[in-house]
Amino acid sequence: MQFSLAQRCVNVGCVPKKLMVYGSHFPHDAHDAKGYGWDVAEPKLDWKRFIENKNKEIARLNGIYERMLGNSGVELIKKKATLVDAHTVDVEGKKITADKILVAVGGWPMVPEFPGSENVISSNEAFFLPECPKRVIVVGGGYIAIEFAAIFNGYGSKVTQLYRGDMWLRGFDMDVRKHLIPEYETIGVDVKFNANIAKIDKQGDGSLKATLEDGSTLEADVIMYATGRVPRTKGLGCEEAGVKLDKNGAIIVDEGFQTSVPSIYAVGDVINRIQLTPVALAEGHCLADTIFGNKPRKTDYSDVPTAVFSQPPVGTVGLTEEQAREKHGNDKIHIYRTSFRAMKHTISGRQEKTLMKLVVHAETDKVLGVHMVGDAAGEIIQLAGVCIKAGTTKAHWDSTIGVHPTSAEEFVTLRTRVPDDQL
């Protein structure tokens, strides 16, 4: 089998991004320490040192993956490959044949074309900026835009975030989406909804002047677009090999990840189902088990837990309140919700608030969705995902003893549902 791989997550995706998230928290931690009796010197940033350390860690991880492949007998060829036909790929002029071919090249940032768009960067370039910009405009309202707005803010940049719609995080629970807005305003991110850039002019000093569609202007040192990702099929040779694509350029596959060419398979972001690294891993595992392990199975896309490493982070799994009401009807849904200032911040002085929410089926008592905004939400939601997958009821949650004092215990002490007239 021929694997065509692009390790986006490790190189220019979730791994370096999480390292940047960690780093951006330290100024907040220094501030929080004062309330606990620690006088900490004003943090001083050495951006180049951080980027160097981040690059070393990415190189270390790549080395581990390469050794794992080598130890498994995989020949790794670090060159660009294109499909030729059902059993052949072209690797910079060299033809390689295989019984089966797997395409797992991932996705790529999409930047719209408009006057001056050549002056913007995507998340790819954000990982390698030679200096931390003083002024940043982040365009977008999804995972990447929201995460990088907080990252740059934490590293000391003046950040403006623009989103062309009236509410960010499309597809998330509305309470989560609304809760995050004042949190970002509190940490200093200037969030502007219903705003979009019409053109960008590069000025004499190298800075950028963005003219918005309403005629107003903003100036920045860096303008980053995080307005979506597209399957990385351009120039891959799919059409030449007979592999069918959808209108967005994603490779069309069946439940077994088989393309229109029976010997060619595809998994991950390139098939544009759920663009999450663990989902791509699950798809690949299912494919390997089915073809080589004599254990045919399909990938289960239901109740996939996910996190947005915003500040504070978001964790969510299962149905949103809106999805639950649409699926089961308004009278069949009970909501349990709380918002509070975490114990840590009663002394730190920070105004950050935590949100926790359970979506419950009124008749079966089954917990349909779990949603959280707050410290460690990504960690907590992983175990909530197990509970959702297991089909637990609200009674199960109520009968579980809480770990005190933690924020997580709020999930098992939510006894009073939100009255219908307060929803």
Side-chain angles (χ1 to χ4, degrees):
M1 174 176 275
Q2 171 69 32
F3 287 87
S4 178
L5 298 175
Q7 293 183 1
R8 178 184 65 81
C9 176
V10 176
N11 294 311
V12 287
C14 42
V15 172
K17 178 198 67 184
K18 190 68 180 293
L19 294 175
M20 296 183 87
V21 170
Y22 285 138
S24 67
H25 274 283
F26 283 105
H28 300 309
D29 295 340
H31 173 270
D32 293 348
K34 294 179 182 179
Y36 285 90
W38 294 97
D39 289 324
V40 181
E42 191 69 25
K44 183 179 179 181
L45 174 64
D46 187 333
W47 176 264
K48 291 183 179 179
R49 184 171 71 219
F50 164 61
I51 296 298
E52 288 173 359
N53 289 339
K54 182 267 295 180
N55 291 344
K56 288 178 183 177
E57 174 60 12
I58 300 309
R60 185 187 72 85
L61 291 173
N62 273 302
I64 291 174
Y65 292 131
E66 289 179 18
R67 287 192 295 274
M68 288 173 62
L69 290 169
N71 292 338
S72 299
V74 175
E75 180 186 1
L76 182 62
I77 302 173
K78 297 182 180 181
K79 295 180 180 180
K80 182 179 178 180
T82 56
L83 295 169
V84 176
D85 57 38
H87 298 284
T88 310
V89 295
D90 183 299
V91 183
E92 297 184 2
K94 180 182 178 181
K95 300 295 191 297
I96 299 177
T97 60
D99 179 51
K100 294 178 177 64
I101 297 173
L102 172 64
V103 180
V105 295
W108 204 248
M110 178 189 68
V111 177
E113 291 187 8
F114 59 90
S117 61
E118 68 275 7
N119 296 306
V120 312
I121 68 169
S122 70
S123 57
N124 286 356
E125 294 77 33
F127 292 116
F128 302 98
L129 290 173
E131 297 178 352
C132 184
K134 293 181 179 179
R135 302 168 298 174
V136 180
I137 297 173
V138 177
V139 182
Y143 285 77
I144 298 173
I146 287 174
E147 290 169 340
F148 267 97
I151 286 169
F152 283 123
N153 172 265
Y155 272 105
S157 303
K158 179 182 178 182
V159 180
T160 302
Q161 184 171 355
L162 308 177
Y163 182 54
R164 64 182 180 180
D166 56 8
M167 182 61 66
W168 56 15
L169 284 179
R170 181 164 52 90
F172 282 71
D173 189 274
M174 185 57 75
D175 280 332
V176 169
R177 300 167 77 185
K178 290 180 177 179
H179 183 92
L180 204 57
I181 297 173
E183 296 298 328
Y184 265 48
E185 291 172 343
T186 298
I187 65 174
V189 176
D190 184 10
V191 183
K192 298 181 183 295
F193 293 107
N194 299 305
N196 201 24
I197 294 177
K199 69 172 183 174
I200 297 173
D201 295 303
K202 192 166 187 176
Q203 303 186 102
D205 61 357
S207 64
L208 303 173
K209 179 180 178 181
T211 301
L212 276 55
E213 291 177 348
D214 64 3
S216 61
T217 60
L218 295 169
E219 293 189 1
D221 303 300
V222 167
I223 299 177
M224 174 184 153
Y225 265 71
T227 49
R229 303 181 68 87
V230 295
R232 201 177 181 186
T233 51
K234 186 177 181 181
L236 191 62
C238 292
E239 296 86 346
E240 292 80 358
V243 175
K244 292 183 179 179
L245 308 176
D246 68 13
K247 63 180 181 180
N248 297 313
I251 294 177
I252 299 172
V253 296
D254 62 15
E255 288 185 335
F257 307 109
Q258 193 172 48
T259 71
S260 54
V261 179
S263 58
I264 300 179
Y265 298 80
V267 298
D269 288 6
V270 76
I271 66 174
N272 200 26
R273 288 186 177 173
I274 300 179
Q275 295 185 8
L276 295 171
T277 297
V279 172
L281 292 172
E283 291 170 344
H285 199 170
C286 286
L287 179 63
D289 280 350
T290 300
I291 296 178
F292 299 111
N294 197 28
K295 294 185 293 184
R297 61 191 185 95
K298 298 175 182 177
T299 302
D300 182 2
Y301 294 100
S302 63
D303 299 323
V304 175
T306 188
V308 183
F309 296 106
S310 46
Q311 296 186 23
V314 172
T316 182
V317 63
L319 299 180
T320 66
E321 178 182 343
E322 296 74 31
Q323 291 169 338
R325 292 188 184 283
E326 182 178 352
K327 182 176 181 178
H328 299 288
N330 284 331
D331 60 335
K332 298 293 193 300
I333 300 301
H334 287 171
I335 300 298
Y336 297 81
R337 182 181 62 209
T338 184
S339 178
F340 57 92
R341 193 178 180 194
M343 182 179 179
K344 175 182 178 180
H345 300 310
T346 59
I347 290 182
S348 76
R350 206 169 346 150
Q351 298 303 308
E352 179 179 301
K353 283 197 170 184
T354 295
L355 169 73
M356 290 181 164
K357 180 175 181 177
L358 296 177
V359 180
V360 180
H361 194 287
E363 294 180 348
T364 65
D365 198 42
K366 184 177 179 180
V367 178
L368 303 175
V370 183
H371 309 282
M372 177 180 176
V373 183
D375 190 35
E379 307 292 342
I380 292 171
I381 211 66
Q382 180 67 80
L383 293 182
V386 176
C387 296
I388 292 287
K389 219 49 167 168
T392 56
T393 63
K394 183 65 168 61
H396 286 122
W397 290 63
D398 292 343
S399 64
T400 302
I401 303 299
V403 179
H404 183 75
T406 65
S407 293
E409 70 178 311
E410 292 291 328
F411 272 131
V412 298
T413 59
L414 281 171
R415 299 286 194 270
T416 305
R417 75 181 183 92
V418 181
D420 292 340
D421 61 357
Q422 294 181 24
L423 292 171

